[in-house]
Amino acid sequence: MSLIGSGFLTIFSFVFLISIVVVIHELGHYWAGRFCGVHAEAFSMGFGPTLVSWRDKRGTVWRVAAFPVGGYVKFLGDAGAASEPDAEKLAQLRQQMGEAADRCYHFKPIWQRAFITAAGPIANFILAIVIFSGIAMTFGSQPYQLPIVGSVVEGGAGEEAGFEVGDRITAINGNRIDTFQDIITEVVWRPGEELRFEIVRDDSAMVIMAAPRGQREEDRFGGTRTLGRIGLGSVEGSALQDRYNPIEAVGQGIDRTWSVVSMTARYVSRVVTGRASAELLNGPVGIVTAAGQTASTSIEAGDSAGESVFLLLVNLINLAAFLSVGLGLVNLLPIPILDGGHLVYYAYEAVARRPLSMQAQALGFRVGLVFVLGLMLVATWNDLNYLLGQIF
């Protein structure tokens, strides 16, 4: 594929992913606001200069902006896209509108404001469940390898800890293990951390403590990352589950979404508290890279143009489910400017029976903005290091 074609495909894939995930997130806020009788002044898909805009019959301005890296809903009374209250505007609205001020977000009861705020991340989780359920019902379960040790790398962490061929790993640090991929997922982001492996050996339950070793590895695209490895190989052959009926597919979708939520939340919490490396934390550049890699492998895997397009859409939608979970979780972090920060403010208001002062909220938003920008810088640094590793 030409460089121009590859670049176009990457841009298309990124915009496709962001459009699905961000629009669903903001629609969660929007529809929850509609349910609670709050007027939305603007719904923006993207930031920056407006490319296209229109006003609906309810007076909401819908706009498509130049930079598709996010979006927002601006409710009546908001000072900006972060939904921080505009004290002067609220006072004027209350005086001028009287009972009509009930359409203002900041005049709503605490539970309604909290519901509207939480609806964005909830919509992201629902999207992930729908996607995973649809894939399970349409394609059934993919071939997987049982969590049984087929080989032990000589001199590796697994041999040192006492693993033997034939051991079946049932849980790691209390998290259930169903496939060999689950083992890899649990250890890959925890190099150097001692983990508790629950295993079954010769029909007897045992516990083995082992710490994955950090190993610098190159992927098929030429990029390198430090990953945790335990030094165990899987058994030959794989198992395959039958296709799911609708009820089973929804259950599979919920289970898959929870697994991604659990793993992502544990990793992010360890990064924030300094207990894990932030190297696997990715930002917008990383999302662009992942979208491009997914698109390239999908196109290459197809035997015909039609099959390539089909694989591209399926794999991008599957990637959108993972991205949706990540966006939902990040927005629930208790950081002012994010949804989780707003929920913390509302919790304080519910307990103290009065809102936090405007000055304290404004300070919190500034601190939160700095913290979020810091995370973005770290993530972007990781993304750039990965890209540079592909070049040099």
Side-chain angles (χ1 to χ4, degrees), residues 1 5-19 21 68 221 225 282-299 311-320 323 383 386-387 390:
M1 183 181 295
S6 177
F8 175 80
L9 187 61
T10 296
I11 293 172
F12 164 80
S13 301
F14 172 72
V15 173
F16 178 83
L17 283 174
I18 291 297
S19 298
V21 173
F221 301 100
R225 288 189 174 97
N282 298 123
V285 176
I287 297 173
V288 172
T289 303
Q293 291 176 345
T294 300
S296 297
T297 54
S298 300
I299 295 297
L311 289 174
L312 173 64
L313 292 176
V314 170
N315 289 331
L316 285 179
I317 290 173
N318 185 59
L319 181 58
L323 182 60
D383 297 337
Y386 175 80
L387 290 176
Q390 292 178 301

Side-chain angles (χ1 to χ4, degrees), residues 105-117 342-343 345-355:
Y105 171 81
H106 296 283
F107 294 150
K108 289 295 182 180
I110 296 174
W111 73 266
Q112 290 189 9
R113 282 177 279 148
F115 169 61
I116 295 170
T117 299
H342 288 283
L343 293 175
Y345 284 166
Y346 299 149
Y348 171 87
E349 184 177 345
V351 172
R353 298 184 180 276
R354 59 181 175 82

Side-chain angles (χ1 to χ4, degrees), residues 189-338:
W189 52 278
R190 301 157 101 168
E193 179 182 346
E194 189 172 57
L195 305 177
R196 186 177 190 271
F197 291 79
E198 297 176 35
I199 72 169
V200 174
R201 178 184 297 169
D202 298 329
D203 296 326
S204 298
M206 297 177 56
V207 171
I208 291 180
M209 305 299 294
R213 294 177 183 171
Q215 188 171 316
R216 198 71 181 170
E217 296 185 10
E218 180 177 313
D219 62 24
R220 59 171 294 189
F221 301 100
T224 59
R225 288 189 174 97
T226 300
L227 306 175
R229 297 300 186 195
I230 199 68
L232 303 177
S234 61
V235 294
E236 293 185 2
S238 60
L240 180 63
Q241 206 161 24
D242 293 332
R243 211 165 263 187
Y244 298 94
N245 62 41
I247 295 178
E248 292 172 335
V250 171
Q252 176 70 7
I254 293 174
D255 185 66
R256 185 85 182 274
T257 300
W258 172 249
S259 296
V260 178
V261 167
S262 175
M263 189 274 290
T264 306
R266 284 181 285 135
Y267 173 65
V268 171
S269 67
R270 280 171 166 76
V271 169
V272 172
T273 56
R275 294 178 293 162
S277 169
E279 185 179 358
L280 299 181
L281 194 65
N282 298 123
V285 176
I287 297 173
V288 172
T289 303
Q293 291 176 345
T294 300
S296 297
T297 54
S298 300
I299 295 297
E300 293 170 2
D303 294 328
S304 64
E307 185 177 355
S308 293
V309 171
F310 175 75
L311 289 174
L312 173 64
L313 292 176
V314 170
N315 289 331
L316 285 179
I317 290 173
N318 185 59
L319 181 58
F322 288 93
L323 182 60
S324 189
V325 170
L327 179 63
L329 280 175
V330 167
N331 269 277
L332 285 177
L333 290 175
I335 301 171
I337 207 174
L338 299 179

Side-chain angles (χ1 to χ4, degrees), residues 13 23 49-50:
S13 301
V23 168
T50 300

